[in-house]
Structures are given as C-alpha cells and as structure tokens.
Amino acid sequence: MKTHGRTTLWAAMLIVGAAITGCAQSQIAGSALAAAQNEAMLANPVELVNQLSNAISEARMAQLNVLAPEWFKKAENSFISAQMDLEKGNEIIDIRQSVLESHAHLEKAEEIAMVSRTTLADTLKAREMARSAGATKFEDEYRRVESEFLDLTRAIERDNLSYAQNTRSRVSERYRELEVRAIKEETIGEVRALIARAEALDARKIAPLAYDQAVEQLNTTDAFISANPYAKEEMHAMARDALFQANRLVVITEESNRIKPMQPEAVALLIEKHLHTISTTLGAPDMRSQAYSTQLDNIVGSVNALKSDRTFMSQKNQALQAEMEQLKAEYQARIDALNVRVATLEGKTRQDQMAKELLARERMAAEQRLAAERKFNQLFVAVQNYFEAEEAEVYKQENQLVIRLKAMRFPVGKSIIMPDNYALLSKVQKAIRTFDDPRVIVEGHTDTTGSNEVNMLLSQQRAEAVRAYMIANQTLLPDSISAVGYGSERPLASNATPAGRAINRRIDILIIPQEKPI
C-alpha cells in the first residue's frame, strides 16, 4: 500500500509539473514561490506532526471526541502512526500519508460534530449542566448515561438520525435527574455538613443570628430545588448562597468561641492588630490613634488608590501600544513607498521583480528562522532559571516550551487553586510574559484512580482553573490561552506505585511562540 502511495505521489508531481510548464510566463515567479514554500513545509516532518498534534488538541477541546467519537478515534490512530514513523525515522512519505489521513478524519469528524450539535443541542446543554453540577461523582450512573449519549452520536455517525432524534429526550432527562441529585447531594449536602459542624461547636447559642440565616437559606434552597428542578440558574445561585452562609456560620462560630473567654481589652487589641496589619501591608499611615471606623476608611481609601493607579497604568499601556502600532504602520508605509521608487528607478520588468522578491523572501526567512531560534534558546535558559528543580521541569519540545509543574497541588477531587500555589503560578506568569504574546495551552492530567469520566472532567476543570487564574491576573488575553484535560490518557510514569501516580497528577504549561509574518 505504501508503494502505491509513492507511485501516486510521483504521478501527481508529474501532472503538476506539466501544468506549471503550460502556465504563462507572468506566473513563473509566483508559482516558484508557492512551490518553494510548500516544499519547505513538506520537507519538515517534525513540523507536520507538531501541527497535527495541535489540531488533535483543538479538536478535543471542541469535544469532537464525544460528538463524533469514531471519526475522532481514527484521527488519533493516524496521528499515533505518524508519531511512531517519526520516532523510528521512517520515510517522509509514510509520515505525510498518516498526517493527511488524520486531517481527513478530523474534517469528517467536524462535519459529523456539526450535525450532532444541531440535533442534540438540548441534550448537550443538559450534559454540560450535569457535569458542572458534579454529576460525575455518581460514577456508575454517570457512566451509563454517558454511554447512552455516545450511542446517540455514534448513531449520527452511521446516518441513523431517527434513532438520535427519538432517544435524545430520554437521555436529556437522565442528565437532568443526575444534575438535580448532584446539586442536592454535593452542594446542599456540604451545606448540611457545615451546619452540623457549627452545631457541634454550639452555634445555636453562641452565634444564633448567623445560625438562623444559614438554616433559613438551606431550607429555602432545598424547597426551591424540589419545586423548580428546571430553574437551573436560580438553583445554582441559591446553592452558592447557601454554601456561603454555611461557611460563614462556621467561621463566626469558631471566632466567637475563641473570643468568648477573652477580656474586652484583648478583643479590642485583636481587632486593632488586624486593621494595623492591613494598613501596614498597603503602606497606609498608622491610624491606631483613631476610631476603628476611621482606620477602616483609611484602608478602603488606600485600596481605592491602588485600584486607580492600576487602571491608570493599564490605560497608559494601551495608549503606548496604540502609538507603537501607528509608528509601525507609518514606517511600513515609508518602506513600501521606497520599494516602489526603487523598482521604478531600476526599470525592472515584472518577472525580474518577482524573482528578486522571491530571493529576498528566502533570504529573509532563513535569517528570521536563525534569529528566532537564537532568541528562543535565550528565553528558554531564562525561564529555566525562574524555577527551582523541585518546583517545575522546563524543557523544549521542538518549537514549544513546556513547563511541567511538579509542585502544583490541588485538594483531593477539587479544582480550587489554593494560596500556597500562588508563588509558583507567579513564576509561570513571568515565564509566559518573557515571550512576545505567545499562544499558551494549559494541560490537565490525572492518574488512573477513579473512572475515566471523572478523571477527564477533573483534569479539564483544573486546567480551566489555571487558565482563569492567568486571565484574571492579566497574563494573556482570553483568546491566547486555552485549557484541555487529558485525564489519565498521557501518563509519564507507571500508575502502579504511589510515586508514579504522584508524577502523573500534574499541570503542564505549553508556551508556543507565535511566528511573525515575513
């Protein structure tokens, strides 16, 4: 089969050569440019496989793995074949063939996915709501519903649209049932546990107001969920409020118990200490000789001033960027005008000019590639020095830089970023900003503990949490950073040992410098 592929390729090249020979002379230089660029791309199998890897990741983020599972699996298999051929040093034509097959499968998967998105719009929404509510915790039940959902998309792949249309309502309802159950058992269940904890600390007696507020919010939320199982936004909002009140009750009860045996002066000094700590951190004047309300006003004023300074700096930066873009455009306009004058003065024909441009582009491209490689290596060394060995592993992967966060830790089964991760993430921000507006992919990975469905969702949620942190801290624009979860699909070590599982539970940051146009 490979021999036939080579014969077909040579035949195609002969046909293309004949067509080029028959073209008008005015098209020779343009055709040569396109052919040179195409040949340069095809001559680099590493670049082909890297581009395909990014396409596979983007397809997974677009949920093609569930919207068109069979075609997506074919694309992944062809991608794996291309990787293996590349690692073994097989012929370029074999690698190209696998890459072309994978792209063809991805195109077909996207066509099927468009039909799935239209046909199963309500079911997809119900699925996403259930996953967001934490329905994957019910592993067996969720796995059965997910299997029924994949039966729908596989039916669409096999042109059995009637089956998907007749069955989608039942699958949607199953997702909704899991969602309501998850809301009550996960969110309100945690609320009940927190209130019970507060009761054990004598909250009814020592913090009666906070206790009554938390219990009232819990009862109101529970009754609303039972009576309005499809009022999704209201349910989630009320559940969040109930959880907030329950956590607040625990804090107030614990603080009340701590303060209860203290003398009034000790309480006043404790409050003064907290206010003074905040003022000192903000660089605000020492106002301990003033009333507590005045000290609080001092803190609020300092915070507002910092916010105002930050807004001013952001606006100034935007203005400078706009000015730089304008200067760049003016400079380019002058260069273009000069090129026109040079071409006119030299009196060159159009064909000679295009040939000259082709040579100039090739020379410029070579110089830019060398400059980009030198710059990338310099930045790579700089980023390596940002991290301690136990914090992260930084390495190059072709034209990408990968930061494997060894010290990144999440609570078990959660995707909340804890404060002890802030220092590490600040270094990641510094690494990203070292490059000039790169594209960044945050990858989440887990070990094999738990079901594939739960691991896939948890890894996606953790990757999205890191992405949200980067966006909130103005590291990059939202369009420049994406998140993808791989679950346990890409282990670095054996999951048979605790040490191996610890290695596989990780966050990887891929920094992809963007090539500037020639």
Side-chain angles (χ1 to χ4, degrees), residues 209-230:
L209 294 178
Y211 177 80
D212 289 343
Q213 291 173 351
V215 171
E216 180 182 0
Q217 185 64 46
L218 169 62
N219 293 336
T220 301
T221 302
D222 186 88
F224 182 85
I225 293 174
S226 298
N228 304 275
Y230 302 110

Side-chain angles (χ1 to χ4, degrees), residues 15 23 65 107 111 123 126 135 137 164 227 245 266 333 338 348 361 377 384:
I15 294 172
C23 289
N65 56 319
E107 290 180 5
E111 292 177 10
T123 308
K137 180 178 181 179
Q245 292 294 345
L338 180 61
K348 298 293 185 180
R361 283 176 178 270
N377 289 331
Q384 275 189 316

Side-chain angles (χ1 to χ4, degrees), residues 23 25 38 51-52 67 133 149 167 196 219 229 244 272 276 285 293 302 317 329 364 383 386 396 398 400 437 508:
C23 289
Q25 285 296 321
N38 186 53
Q51 290 176 358
L52 178 57
L67 295 175
F149 174 77
T167 313
N219 293 336
F244 174 84
E272 180 193 69
H276 182 59
S293 59
S302 298
N317 183 53
M364 185 182 300
V383 171
Y386 295 162
K396 292 185 290 186
E398 301 305 334
Q400 304 173 358
D437 293 328
D508 290 347

Side-chain angles (χ1 to χ4, degrees), residues 401-418:
L401 185 142
V402 181
I403 304 175
R404 179 152 293 142
L405 302 181
K406 298 179 180 179
M408 187 75 181
R409 295 290 182 268
F410 289 92
V412 177
K414 302 290 185 181
S415 59
I416 301 171
I417 296 179
M418 303 304 290

Side-chain angles (χ1 to χ4, degrees), residues 1 30 44 63 102 153 159 175 182 199 207 227 238 291 349 373 390 392 403 411 483 493 498:
M1 182 173 179
N44 188 350
Q63 298 189 345
S102 184
T153 55
D159 292 329
Y175 276 127
E199 288 174 342
M238 294 182 71
T349 65
E373 184 175 351
E390 64 274 10
I403 304 175

Side-chain angles (χ1 to χ4, degrees), residues 378-389 391-392 394 403 423-424 426-435 511:
Q378 292 170 353
L379 298 181
F380 167 68
V381 173
V383 171
Q384 275 189 316
N385 293 329
Y386 295 162
F387 298 92
E388 301 296 333
E391 290 181 323
V394 181
I403 304 175
L424 178 60
S426 293
K427 293 184 179 182
V428 174
Q429 289 178 261
K430 183 179 179 182
I432 293 173
R433 288 168 175 159
T434 300
F435 291 83
I511 302 176

Side-chain angles (χ1 to χ4, degrees), residues 148-215:
E148 293 177 10
F149 174 77
L150 290 175
D151 287 341
L152 298 181
T153 55
R154 290 191 182 101
I156 293 174
E157 283 185 303
R158 297 165 185 168
D159 292 329
N160 191 358
L161 196 60
S162 60
Y163 173 82
Q165 292 171 333
N166 293 333
T167 313
R168 60 191 176 188
S169 296
R170 178 169 60 84
V171 178
S172 298
E173 185 59 30
R174 293 285 303 280
Y175 276 127
R176 292 190 185 102
E177 291 172 359
L178 281 179
E179 179 193 4
V180 174
R181 180 181 169 190
I183 292 172
K184 284 196 171 185
E185 191 162 327
E186 286 290 313
T187 307
I188 300 182
E190 187 177 356
V191 171
R192 288 196 174 95
L194 288 169
I195 292 177
R197 175 182 165 189
E199 288 174 342
L201 297 173
D202 204 17
R204 294 183 182 182
K205 180 178 179 181
I206 200 167
L209 294 178
Y211 177 80
D212 289 343
Q213 291 173 351
V215 171

Side-chain angles (χ1 to χ4, degrees), residues 6 11 73 119 142 167 171 190 203 270 286 416 504 507 516:
R6 296 189 189 96
K73 188 62 177 177
T119 306
Y142 180 81
T167 313
V171 178
E190 187 177 356
L270 178 64
D286 187 350
I416 301 171
N504 293 332
I507 290 289
K516 300 300 181 181

